């Protein structure tokens, strides 16, 4: 029998792809949307970075010669990830035959084999989505110097039960093969990462160690000695995946050789251990074995091995071995391996190890914690700030910040407990208005330059370099101030500009070209700079769109910029040149003959003032949003949840008591305590995942309650409703559905029944708390 959780996961993915297909306006297809979904999961887990969705097939008389769905070329040029997708659009989970997997591997390997030979790039049209990659592989000196490993991924929403070959040589480069099927994705989503496991015994590696005899609940440490050839083998397979992911966001990880390390290996290998500070690493688990003849202990295997300091040392040893053919078996590196026992505080402990271990690239506590605090603040703002209605619409929406992957889906499941509520959630939280940490960094960094003295720290060339590099720049140099409501509104305005530019650019075959990932950020940066950053972001937030003149100008700018890059890129390496500051400097002051005076109506009115919410007002809005969620669960349902938790043991005694308390407070419309708010949300998360059937009859409870209230005679006039609507247009305190009801009654679309009078009175009472004076 199939695993029920696995089947549910499969169904969720299929629904995610279908929902994304509906929300897309650029002609995407299910296979590429699935590819994007999977690569986002892999990127979150640190298993790929800077990926780019693309598609290319070479078809001959013999059939499909090669195929590629996406690629990721790492910032340091050491690693190239190639992806091919086998996607089934059906509703049933299928097993992928070995023959299909082997064909997919061969197609993708052929693409790489063909691409590294220079003549192949001449067979590809410049408008092809993979032209940039093929040209880079054939012509870039960085590829020749640094490319260390090629990872060939077969990704599928089916099950792969056959084994892939582990490794091979293609075009002179080591290639590693990996299958990413539905089981792998399920494990990835459950564990937020698939751990690197290294079996030292199976590889016949002897790693002597001594352990820290101090007993504590936080960690266990070992001091080990790694031979150079062991580090070379490990690094060749895993590369930057070895570097702890949070640390990688702050350190500029590179595969370039440290000259001092190289000199020591080549000239004085016996002195390496004396000169080098060694490596600090962490692991989730470790097995220790006894060496024969009572010669001490050694490491047998490690699980979730991550380097928090010493990535540069490891990379330099590897490249000296590879390029200089150096014998590294005679050098030895000290390694401090820490097993973190306290799983609840794992991230904090690893962050502190990184902070104190990284002395050459200093990582401060603020790098590893305060920026996360900013993300929490943005998350709260995104849940409590309602965007104004778009033109032609009369309801408000939210821009949903997904601080960690899966939040949007979980929130939709938690709120959308019935079809009606799910429909309401989707209306209030459009999928196209969900953004992540990485996309936020892209939107904000593309808008405005940031300098430190004469050094340019933020510019469009960083956006082009990919999500990892750009996100790192954002965290380090463009995210220090504490976000407030105006910062949030401006960030959404920049998001709207970016998304609008992408739609204007278009997709094949109806697009300006095939450099959207380059042209869009460059065009936005150029336009903002050349208008002296006068664009009225507040107006864009209020209208939730950019003006027609701005759309026209953006189109003109993108055409000019794309042509400029293609005409001026050295050796026609468009993508490589666009990653460099010299590309931005070469174009940013050129006027391109574009009349920017047509944007005068889009410039900010310096006399207009925007209201900055106080911390108390922001907290009040956040509290109201949580209260609304808790009150949306009927008191009878809270009572059922408490009984379920008591009978099954799925809720602790404390949470059971909270559910019981919430039942009474919802029924009597009483104020929640802060503890009840936070624990109430936790309870809803648990029930949504483990017993969603508890919510199924909730609509019936509310309907019976509504019928009983309809009999209550409440005197409310149309004049009262008009006063409330006019007030809320300015203050925006009612929920979308509350405002919509008032608006529809005024327009005559709904009658002022006793039931609607009751709802109006409730809205008036709510508005009074925010200063509304109805009479």
């Amino acid at each position: 029998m199939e695993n029920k959780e696995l089947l549910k996961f499969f169904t969720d993915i299929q629904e995610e792809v279908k929902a994304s297909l509906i929300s897309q306006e650029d002609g995407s297809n299910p296979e590429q949307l699935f590819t994007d979904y999977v690569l986002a999961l892999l990127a979150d887990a640190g298993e790929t970075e800077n990926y780019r969705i693309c598609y290319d097939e070479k078809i001959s008389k013999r059939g499909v010669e090669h195929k590629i769905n996406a690629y990721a070329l790492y910032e340091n040029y050491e690693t190239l990830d190639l992806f091919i997708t086998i996607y089934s659009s059906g509703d049933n989970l299928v097993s992928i035959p070995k023959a299909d997997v082997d064909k997919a591997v061969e197609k993708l390997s052929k693409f790489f084999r063909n691409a590294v030979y220079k003549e192949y790039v001449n067979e590809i049209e410049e408008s092809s989505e993979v032209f940039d990659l093929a040209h880079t592989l054939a012509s870039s000196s960085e590829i020749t110097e640094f490319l260390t490993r090629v990872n060939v991924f077969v990704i599928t929403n089916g099950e792969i039960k056959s084994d892939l070959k582990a490794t091979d040589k293609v075009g002179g480069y080591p290639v590693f093969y990996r299958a990413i099927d539905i089981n792998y994705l399920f494990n990835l989503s459950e564990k937020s990462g698939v751990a690197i496991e290294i079996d030292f015994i199976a590889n016949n590696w002897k790693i002597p160690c001594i352990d820290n005899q101090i007993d504590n609940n936080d960690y266990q440490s070992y001091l080990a000695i790694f031979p150079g050839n062991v580090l070379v083998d490990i690094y060749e397979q895993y590369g930057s995946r070895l570097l702890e992911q949070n640390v990688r966001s702050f350190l500029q990880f590179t595969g370039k050789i440290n000259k001092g390390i190289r000199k020591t290996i080549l000239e004085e290998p016996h002195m390496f251990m004396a000169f080098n500070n060694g490596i600090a690493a962490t692991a989730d688990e470790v097995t220790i074995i006894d060496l024969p003849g009572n010669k001490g202990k050694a490491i047998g295997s490690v699980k979730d091995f991550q380097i928090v300091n010493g990535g540069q040392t490891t990379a330099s040893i590897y490249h000296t071995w590879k390029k200089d053919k150096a014998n590294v078996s005679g050098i030895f590196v000290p390694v401090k391996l820490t097993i973190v026992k306290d799983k609840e505080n794992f991230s904090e402990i690893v962050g502190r190890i990184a902070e104190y271990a990284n002395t050459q690239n200093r990582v401060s506590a603020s790098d590893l914690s305060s920026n996360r605090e900013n993300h929490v603040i943005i998350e709260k703002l995104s849940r409590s700030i309602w965007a104004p209605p778009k033109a032609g619409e009369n309801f408000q929406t939210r821009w949903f910040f997904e601080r960690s992957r899966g939040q949007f889906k979980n929130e939709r499941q938690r709120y959308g407990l019935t079809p009606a509520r799910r429909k309401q959630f989707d209306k209030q939280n459009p999928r196209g208005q969900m953004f992540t940490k990485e996309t936020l960094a892209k939107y904000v960094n593309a808008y405005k330059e940031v300098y430190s003295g004469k050094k340019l720290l933020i510019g469009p060339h960083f956006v082009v370099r990919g999500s990892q590099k750009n996100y790192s720049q954002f965290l380090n140099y463009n995210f220090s101030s504490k976000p407030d409501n105006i910062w949030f509104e401006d960030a959404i305005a920049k998001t709207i500009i970016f998304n609008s530019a992408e739609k204007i650019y278009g997709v094949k075959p109806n697009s300006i070209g095939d450099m959207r990932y380059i042209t869009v950020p460059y065009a936005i940066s150029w336009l903002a700079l050349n208008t002296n950053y006068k664009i009225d972001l507040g107006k864009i937030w209020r209208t939730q769109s950019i003006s027609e003149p701005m759309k026209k100008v953006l189109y003109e700018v993108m055409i000019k910029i794309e042509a400029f890059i293609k005409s001026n890129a050295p050796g026609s390496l468009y993508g490589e040149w666009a990653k460099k500051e010299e590309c931005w400097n070469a174009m940013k002051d050129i006027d391109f003959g574009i009349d920017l005076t047509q944007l005068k109506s889009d410039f900010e009115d310096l006399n207009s003032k925007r209201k900055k919410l106080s911390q108390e007002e922001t907290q009040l809005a956040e509290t109201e949003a949580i209260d609304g969620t808790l009150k949306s669960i009927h008191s009878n349902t809270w009572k059922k949840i408490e009984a379920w938790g008591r009978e099954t043991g799925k809720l602790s005694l404390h949470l059971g008591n909270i559910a019981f308390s919430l039942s009474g407070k919802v029924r009597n419309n009483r104020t929640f305590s802060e503890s009840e708010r936070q624990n109430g949300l936790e309870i809803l998360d648990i029930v949504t995942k483990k017993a969603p059937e508890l919510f199924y009859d909730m609509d019936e409870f509310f309907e019976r309650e509504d019928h009983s209230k309809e009999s209550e005679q409440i005197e409310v006039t149309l004049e009262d409703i008009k006063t409330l609507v006019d007030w809320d247009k300015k203050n925006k305190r009612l929920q979308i559905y509350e405002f919509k009801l008032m608006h529809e009654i005024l327009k005559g679309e709904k009658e002022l029944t006793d039931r609607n009078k009751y709802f109006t009175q409730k809205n008036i009472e709510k508005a009074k708390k925010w200063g509304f004076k109805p009479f």
Side-chain angles (χ1 to χ4, degrees):
M1 182 178 176
E2 294 282 4
N3 184 312
K4 287 184 179 179
E5 291 184 355
L6 180 66
L7 287 175
K8 183 179 184 303
F9 178 72
F10 168 79
T11 302
D12 287 346
I13 286 182
Q14 298 301 82
E15 290 182 355
E16 181 85 13
V17 170
K18 290 175 184 176
S20 297
L21 191 63
I22 293 171
S23 67
Q24 296 287 330
E25 299 178 10
D26 57 6
S28 297
N29 64 69
E31 183 173 288
Q32 290 302 76
L33 289 172
F34 171 71
T35 304
D36 193 23
Y37 175 87
V38 172
L39 265 59
L41 278 178
L42 293 175
D44 272 1
E47 298 206 30
T48 191
E49 62 182 56
N50 298 338
Y51 68 86
R52 185 183 173 201
I53 302 297
C54 68
Y55 183 83
D56 189 65
E57 265 190 328
K58 182 181 179 183
I59 302 175
S60 69
K61 293 179 180 179
R62 291 173 294 181
V64 178
E65 290 282 318
H66 75 231
K67 178 184 172 185
I68 179 172
N69 289 84
Y71 69 87
L73 181 58
Y74 288 35
E75 172 66 20
N76 55 21
Y77 294 92
E78 277 194 347
T79 302
L80 172 67
D81 293 338
L82 300 173
F83 302 90
I84 187 169
T85 302
I86 303 174
Y87 178 74
S88 170
S89 58
D91 295 330
N92 297 318
L93 179 58
V94 297
S95 180
I96 308 300
K98 184 178 187 303
D100 290 355
V101 178
D102 291 342
K103 283 179 185 176
V105 168
E106 184 57 26
K107 288 174 187 176
L108 197 49
S109 298
K110 274 187 178 180
F111 168 80
F112 177 71
R113 187 183 299 111
N114 291 338
V116 293
Y117 295 116
K118 293 187 177 182
E119 63 270 13
Y120 175 65
V121 76
N122 298 323
E123 300 176 20
I124 305 176
E125 294 182 10
E126 288 193 17
S127 61
S128 168
E129 290 185 319
V130 293
F131 176 82
D132 194 25
L133 173 63
H135 200 184
T136 299
L137 292 176
S139 308
S140 174
S141 60
E142 283 91 348
I143 292 293
T144 305
E145 184 176 0
F146 296 117
L147 186 60
T148 296
R149 71 193 62 78
V150 179
N151 295 317
V152 168
F153 292 82
V154 178
I155 61 178
T156 179
N157 60 341
E159 286 187 290
I160 296 177
K161 296 180 179 178
S162 56
D163 293 331
L164 273 68
K165 56 183 176 181
T167 185
D168 199 356
K169 283 270 187 180
V170 177
Y173 293 93
V175 177
F176 299 90
Y177 299 94
R178 297 182 62 191
I180 308 294
D181 70 348
I182 194 70
N183 291 287
Y184 191 97
L185 294 173
F186 177 69
N187 290 332
L188 197 66
S189 67
E190 289 292 301
K191 301 173 185 175
S192 71
V194 174
I196 291 175
E197 298 186 43
I198 303 173
D199 190 333
F200 294 94
I201 299 173
N203 285 285
N204 199 27
W205 294 332
K206 293 182 180 178
I207 311 294
C209 71
I210 57 173
D211 63 338
N212 176 10
Q213 298 294 329
I214 300 174
D215 187 31
N216 64 78
N217 296 323
D218 293 326
Y219 73 96
Q220 173 68 48
S221 279
Y222 301 87
L223 292 177
I225 306 296
F226 276 56
N229 60 307
V230 171
L231 283 176
V232 161
D233 288 344
I234 293 173
Y235 187 81
E236 182 166 62
Q237 182 169 357
Y238 298 108
S240 61
R241 282 184 64 206
L242 292 167
L243 193 64
E244 203 281 323
Q245 193 181 6
N246 287 327
V247 178
R248 194 190 313 154
S249 295
F250 302 98
L251 300 182
Q252 304 304 310
F253 185 69
T254 174
K256 294 181 180 179
I257 302 176
N258 179 293
K259 292 180 180 178
I261 292 176
R262 177 177 179 271
K263 186 174 187 295
T264 303
I265 293 173
L266 294 176
E267 299 178 9
E268 300 177 281
H270 63 287
M271 297 299 294
F272 191 92
M273 190 164 173
F275 292 165
N276 191 268
N277 290 330
I279 293 170
T282 62
D284 187 54
E285 296 176 13
V286 63
T287 58
I288 302 298
I289 60 172
D290 292 319
L291 290 172
N294 294 320
K295 292 184 178 179
K297 300 183 183 228
I299 297 175
S301 64
V302 290
K303 182 177 180 181
D304 200 9
F305 184 76
Q306 296 276 277
I307 295 172
V308 297
N309 175 252
Q312 186 66 58
T313 293
T314 309
S316 295
I317 292 171
Y318 175 83
H319 284 289
T320 303
W321 167 82
K322 182 178 173 68
K323 292 170 187 172
D324 296 302
K325 311 300 180 186
N327 181 3
V328 295
S329 60
I331 69 168
F332 297 91
V333 182
V335 176
K336 181 180 71 175
L337 179 62
T338 301
I339 312 303
V340 180
K341 298 178 182 177
D342 186 356
K343 304 305 179 188
E344 290 186 3
N345 296 312
F346 182 85
S347 295
E348 180 191 351
I349 293 172
V350 171
R352 290 170 67 187
I353 293 172
E355 177 190 349
Y356 297 123
N358 282 283
T359 54
Q360 292 180 334
N361 297 80
R362 293 201 55 189
V363 180
S364 67
S366 63
D367 286 333
L368 293 166
S369 59
S370 68
N371 286 309
R372 293 180 191 171
E373 179 187 353
N374 279 356
H375 284 137
V376 172
I377 293 172
I378 294 174
E379 179 185 12
K380 291 179 178 179
L381 290 169
S382 81
R383 303 298 191 272
S384 57
I385 293 179
W386 291 89
K390 296 179 181 178
E393 297 178 351
N394 57 12
F395 59 90
Q396 295 175 286
T397 58
R398 290 191 304 186
W399 285 83
F400 192 103
F401 176 54
E402 193 173 61
R403 184 166 58 89
S404 58
R405 180 155 297 278
Q407 278 186 319
F408 184 84
K409 184 179 78 172
N410 292 339
E411 187 80 4
R412 185 175 184 267
Q413 287 179 338
R414 187 172 70 181
Y415 187 90
L417 304 170
T418 65
R421 287 166 61 84
R422 193 173 304 119
K423 186 176 180 181
Q424 183 183 12
F425 179 87
D426 291 342
K427 192 172 183 180
Q428 295 176 346
N429 303 273
R431 187 174 296 271
Q433 292 182 192
M434 187 269 285
F435 61 103
T436 65
K437 300 188 294 291
E438 292 78 13
T439 55
L440 174 67
K442 178 171 66 174
Y443 303 143
V444 173
N445 281 359
Y447 185 76
K448 188 175 184 179
E449 292 180 316
V450 174
Y451 278 88
S452 176
K454 293 184 178 180
K455 185 176 182 181
L456 181 61
L457 301 174
I458 299 292
H461 53 294
F462 284 111
V463 179
V464 173
R465 290 182 190 182
S467 59
Q468 190 71 34
K469 179 71 174 181
N470 183 62
Y471 181 56
S472 173
Q473 292 296 112
F474 173 70
L475 286 178
N476 289 326
Y477 306 116
N478 207 13
F479 199 42
S480 58
S481 59
K482 206 168 185 178
D484 56 24
N485 66 299
I486 293 179
W487 188 98
F488 178 82
E489 291 170 6
D490 284 353
I492 298 305
K494 295 166 187 175
T495 301
I496 292 170
I497 293 173
F498 200 102
N499 290 342
S500 299
E502 287 196 319
K503 289 178 182 177
I504 294 166
Y505 186 97
V507 295
K508 293 177 67 176
N510 304 308
S511 61
I512 290 174
D514 196 63
M515 288 170 43
R516 190 171 79 166
Y517 79 105
I518 296 172
T519 303
V520 167
Y522 266 90
I524 292 171
S525 294
W526 184 92
L527 182 60
L529 176 66
N530 283 275
T531 54
N532 296 315
Y533 302 106
K534 291 179 181 177
I535 295 172
D536 191 344
L537 297 175
K539 179 182 177 182
I540 294 174
W541 163 258
R542 291 191 299 275
T543 60
Q544 291 292 290
S545 64
I546 62 174
S547 69
E548 290 303 318
M550 189 180 291
K551 290 178 183 177
K552 180 175 177 290
V553 168
L554 269 172
Y555 182 76
E556 294 174 4
V557 173
M558 287 191 288
I559 288 177
K560 295 287 187 180
I561 283 180
E562 181 138 331
F564 179 87
I565 292 176
K566 287 187 174 181
S567 299
N568 293 274
S572 298
L573 287 169
Y574 311 139
E576 294 308 299
W577 192 50
K579 294 176 183 177
K580 297 178 181 178
E581 185 179 334
E582 64 184 79
C583 176
W584 172 233
N585 288 334
M587 77 168 65
K588 66 180 183 181
D589 295 324
I590 299 175
D591 65 20
F592 292 120
I594 296 174
D595 179 16
L596 296 179
T597 60
Q598 55 190 309
L599 293 179
K600 281 187 177 179
S601 62
D602 290 294
F603 292 163
E604 189 174 9
D605 181 1
L606 298 178
N607 295 319
S608 66
K609 299 291 183 182
R610 295 169 66 185
K611 183 184 178 184
K612 180 177 178 180
L613 296 178
S614 67
Q615 189 172 352
E616 290 75 18
E617 288 174 313
T618 303
Q619 181 63 45
L620 182 61
E622 180 191 346
T623 298
E624 187 183 52
I626 296 174
D627 287 356
T629 298
L630 299 181
K631 288 179 180 178
S632 71
I633 307 300
H634 198 277
S635 60
N636 289 350
T637 304
W638 281 115
K639 192 180 295 183
K640 284 175 61 179
I641 290 171
E642 186 273 331
W644 168 82
R646 180 167 22 86
E647 292 167 4
T648 63
K650 299 294 185 182
L651 294 180
S652 65
L653 179 62
H654 172 66
L655 290 180
N657 289 337
I658 292 289
F660 180 81
S661 175
L662 288 172
S663 173
K665 288 196 171 182
V666 167
R667 183 175 58 253
N668 298 308
N669 197 27
R670 291 179 180 169
T671 303
F672 305 123
S673 69
E674 189 57 34
S675 173
E676 286 170 334
R677 291 187 180 99
Q678 299 308 318
N679 285 293
L681 294 179
E682 182 181 350
I683 292 168
L684 290 182
D685 280 336
I686 293 171
V687 176
T688 301
K689 292 176 182 177
K690 297 185 176 180
E693 64 275 7
L694 293 175
F695 300 113
Y696 290 169
D697 56 359
M698 193 164 63
D699 282 350
E700 296 177 13
F701 293 149
F702 279 115
E703 285 178 11
R704 288 200 295 267
E705 187 176 275
D706 289 345
H707 287 314
S708 66
K709 289 175 179 176
E710 284 181 14
S711 60
E712 299 180 27
Q713 297 296 314
I714 302 170
E715 290 305 318
V716 176
T717 66
L718 288 174
E719 187 61 33
D720 295 330
I721 296 175
K722 185 178 185 307
T723 305
L724 176 61
V725 167
D726 291 342
W727 178 86
D728 196 62
K729 283 181 180 178
K730 297 179 182 178
N731 295 274
K732 296 180 176 57
R733 294 300 180 183
L734 295 181
Q735 296 285 354
I736 294 171
Y737 62 91
E738 294 169 336
F739 179 88
K740 183 181 178 183
L741 175 64
M742 304 294 96
H743 193 266
E744 288 175 342
I745 292 173
L746 271 185
K747 291 172 66 179
E749 294 176 1
K750 288 192 175 178
E751 296 182 6
L752 189 56
T753 61
D754 287 342
R755 185 185 186 200
N756 287 341
K757 285 181 181 180
Y758 170 78
F759 288 133
T760 301
Q761 187 62 39
K762 295 289 286 184
N763 290 342
I764 289 173
E765 293 302 320
K766 177 180 179 178
K768 283 180 180 179
K769 297 177 183 179
W770 296 93
F772 173 63
K773 297 178 181 179
F775 309 112

